[in-house]
Amino acid sequence: SGSPGIAQEPEAAEGLKSWLWTRGLMHHFSAINRWCEEMGAVHFTEVMDGVEELDDYLGDALSEPERQRLLRERYVPKS
């Protein structure tokens, strides 16, 4: 009983759950999935290409360590 978990939620972008899992960001799946739907992203590579926009979309929902994991190579500390 109860609401279905993230595992049952369909991913808007193919490979999104695995991509988030490797970054320890699965608890942000619902918000990131919603962003994918709004942006029309259908594959996780499109999410990778738009991570700066995704970072802006998530804003304060991300901790600084999460932001580092999301952006990886593109990470620049906020001054």
Side-chain angles (χ1 to χ4, degrees):
S1 64
S3 60
I6 288 170
Q8 279 73 47
E9 279 189 63
E11 48 185 18
E14 184 184 340
L16 180 62
K17 289 179 183 177
S18 297
W19 186 77
L20 292 175
W21 181 260
T22 62
R23 284 159 177 74
L25 297 170
M26 274 300 285
H27 54 288
H28 291 293
F29 171 77
S30 294
I32 292 171
N33 207 45
R34 193 163 49 247
W35 179 85
C36 290
E37 289 170 351
E38 290 173 14
M39 299 303 288
V42 295
H43 197 269
F44 82 94
T45 54
E46 295 172 77
V47 181
M48 290 170 63
D49 289 342
V51 288
E52 287 94 347
E53 290 87 349
L54 178 55
D55 177 34
D56 290 342
Y57 177 84
L58 293 170
D60 292 339
L62 288 175
S63 67
E64 205 58 25
E66 287 174 337
R67 180 165 284 113
Q68 289 180 35
R69 294 196 305 270
L70 174 69
L71 298 173
R72 290 259 169 106
E73 306 78 32
R74 301 176 186 173
Y75 177 72
V76 178
K78 298 212 186 269
S79 53

